[in-house]
Amino acid sequence: MDTRFPSFEALGFTDGVLPSECPSRIVLNHVTSTWGVLVLVALARSDLRWGELRRTVQGISEKMLAQTLRTLEKDGFVLRTAQPTVPPRVDYSLTGRGREVTAHLLPLMQWIAGNADDILTGVPPAPPAPLGFATGQASISGDYRDGNEDSLYASSWSAFVADGVGGHAAGEVASATVAIRLASMLDATEGRLPGEERLRELVAIANADLALRVRMDPALAGMATTLVGLFSGGEDVLVAHTGDSRAYRLRDGDLSQVTEDDSLVRELLASGAIAEAEVADHPLRSVVTHVLGGDPEDAAALHVSAEPLRRGDRWLLASDGLTDYVPVAEVAETLDAAATPQDAADALVALALRYRARDNVSVVVADVVELSEPPAYHPAFGGSAAADPASSRALEV
């Protein structure tokens, strides 16, 4: 169940605080007080007279029933109708507004009825379902490149993007090698990782594969790749990256960059040598300071952080073919507007083309969702990794 709201301000919050005298709290107290909710639910079944209400809502005193009915009548939830009979009779019924609010209360009452025994006898609640991802992905060469040096992988528990470093030999081989090797090791656990130590171990093995490929084919010397990935543990997510491929998180409409580029211009910015306004057009903006290139120190320099997962968050992994050309405000707007992760991925790639991106563009969009049942493991690949025969291997799951 999605419990997100477009805006908590719409619920009466002011600067994150729900003031004691705000209208929402006052009406909520009227409706959900012990007697208020019971009177409303009783009237949802049928119109009732005073005595019938007292018999239906057992335990309510005459004074409390009168006070509750006056409040609900004043709020426009209950209608009091005096019947021209002898002796005089008064009927109580729900107004249109009363029926509307009661329609929201009845599911709550149904849930309480189904769980009251367990709650009162101390039966512990079922553990929360683990959180994973619903993903969409896209990877294109673009209008200005003949080949695609990016690779991507996406599953219900993990996802990553690798960008073969421009200007180096065989960038497409580097990104595909790392992607396919990581994926083959993730297959054993259907994409799940037990923790940071194992993540670093897998990246070190994939990085070592690059060195092995170069020993087998010296023409590949100098190949390297960036890496940015999400690896869910069910409650939190490990965000791993090296290079200038990025991870973003969209939460309640606000987009934040979670990773920080390993790039020369970022180091120049941190040292004060250049201003923020110079970063986008700096001639050395594509120079990265850390990548995976086969040296053991490359894997050791991997950045890993643990971030809490929240249902409803939308994550974005992207190569610099998107982020170097499309303003972040438009990325945020596009992510927020898309109905599904795949819609978002397709829209972002189309946006990069409209901005005449002169690089390969690869994105994975991952929505945080509950995985109450073990999901089927059908990893998706993109870019150079998708062209590798190993990405279409048969899996025994």
Side-chain angles (χ1 to χ4, degrees):
M1 180 176 65
D2 190 353
T3 58
R4 292 179 300 164
F5 295 98
S7 169
F8 274 94
E9 280 66 27
L11 303 180
F13 282 80
T14 302
D15 296 328
V17 175
L18 197 58
S20 60
E21 297 302 318
C22 76
S24 295
R25 282 185 60 168
I26 295 171
V27 175
L28 188 66
N29 183 57
H30 294 171
V31 170
T32 61
S33 66
T34 301
W35 302 119
V37 67
L38 293 177
V39 167
L40 288 169
V41 171
L43 291 174
R45 296 180 60 195
S46 65
D47 298 352
L48 295 172
R49 288 177 284 178
W50 174 276
E52 292 171 332
L53 264 174
R54 284 205 67 196
R55 288 191 295 272
T56 302
V57 184
Q58 292 187 7
I60 190 170
S61 66
E62 290 190 6
K63 180 179 179 181
M64 184 56 66
L65 179 56
Q67 180 180 323
T68 300
L69 286 170
R70 281 197 302 269
T71 299
L72 295 176
E73 185 179 355
K74 181 180 178 181
D75 290 343
F77 296 122
V78 169
L79 179 65
R80 179 182 183 274
T81 305
Q83 301 293 348
T85 61
V86 179
R89 193 186 86 215
V90 176
D91 292 339
Y92 295 91
S93 60
L94 293 179
T95 64
R97 179 185 293 172
R99 288 191 294 273
E100 184 177 355
V101 73
T102 305
H104 294 286
L105 292 173
L106 289 174
L108 173 62
M109 290 292 291
Q110 184 178 14
W111 182 90
I112 291 173
N115 291 273
D117 289 342
D118 287 348
I119 293 170
L120 295 177
T121 56
V123 175
L131 298 176
F133 305 113
T135 62
Q137 53 282 325
S139 182
I140 61 169
S141 299
D143 293 335
Y144 298 89
R145 296 292 182 95
D146 294 330
N148 193 344
E149 296 187 335
D150 293 351
S151 292
L152 64 79
Y153 159 99
S155 73
S156 297
W157 298 109
S158 51
F160 55 80
V161 168
D163 178 2
V165 179
H168 287 238
E172 73 282 359
V173 177
S175 70
T177 296
V178 167
I180 294 298
R181 186 64 165 133
L182 279 178
S184 68
M185 294 183 288
L186 289 169
D187 288 348
T189 54
E190 299 188 351
R192 297 194 74 168
L193 277 178
E196 180 178 344
E197 183 178 357
R198 179 57 175 164
L199 171 59
R200 290 188 177 277
E201 180 183 350
L202 297 191
V203 172
I205 293 171
N207 181 61
D209 265 15
L210 295 177
L212 179 61
R213 292 291 297 267
V214 171
R215 286 197 294 272
M216 295 173 61
D217 184 356
L220 299 176
M223 69 175 180
T225 184
T226 70
L227 179 71
V228 62
L230 303 172
F231 303 89
S232 171
E235 295 182 359
D236 56 14
V237 61
L238 294 177
V239 184
H241 93 281
T242 185
D244 59 358
S245 297
R246 295 178 181 176
Y248 291 87
R249 178 178 56 211
L250 182 73
R251 173 174 289 174
D252 297 329
D254 294 325
L255 185 67
S256 58
Q257 184 177 333
V258 178
T259 57
E260 185 172 328
D261 295 350
D262 289 321
S263 66
L264 180 58
V265 292
R266 281 294 154 190
E267 292 187 0
L268 293 173
L269 180 65
S271 68
I274 63 173
E276 181 72 42
E278 300 177 72
V279 171
D281 298 318
H282 198 282
L284 299 178
R285 68 182 183 278
S286 62
V287 177
V288 289
T289 54
H290 291 294
V291 288
L292 298 178
D295 191 306
E297 293 185 1
D298 295 341
L302 182 75
H303 307 281
V304 179
S305 64
E307 299 287 339
L309 282 173
R310 197 175 86 176
R311 186 176 57 249
D313 283 353
R314 174 166 283 180
W315 287 79
L316 167 66
L317 304 177
S319 64
D320 62 352
L322 175 74
T323 56
D324 276 357
Y325 296 93
V326 180
V328 68
E330 294 199 41
V331 172
E333 182 180 348
T334 302
L335 274 176
D336 198 30
T340 69
Q342 191 59 55
D343 288 344
D346 293 338
L348 288 171
V349 166
L351 189 60
L353 291 177
R354 288 202 298 273
Y355 271 89
R356 300 177 182 269
R358 306 185 75 84
D359 199 354
N360 308 142
V361 183
S362 295
V363 299
V364 175
V365 178
D367 284 359
V368 178
V369 296
E370 286 187 354
L371 297 175
S372 53
E373 299 291 337
Y377 183 59
H378 298 299
F381 294 87
S384 295
D388 192 304
S391 67
S392 58
R393 65 209 182 286
L395 298 175
E396 296 181 3
V397 296

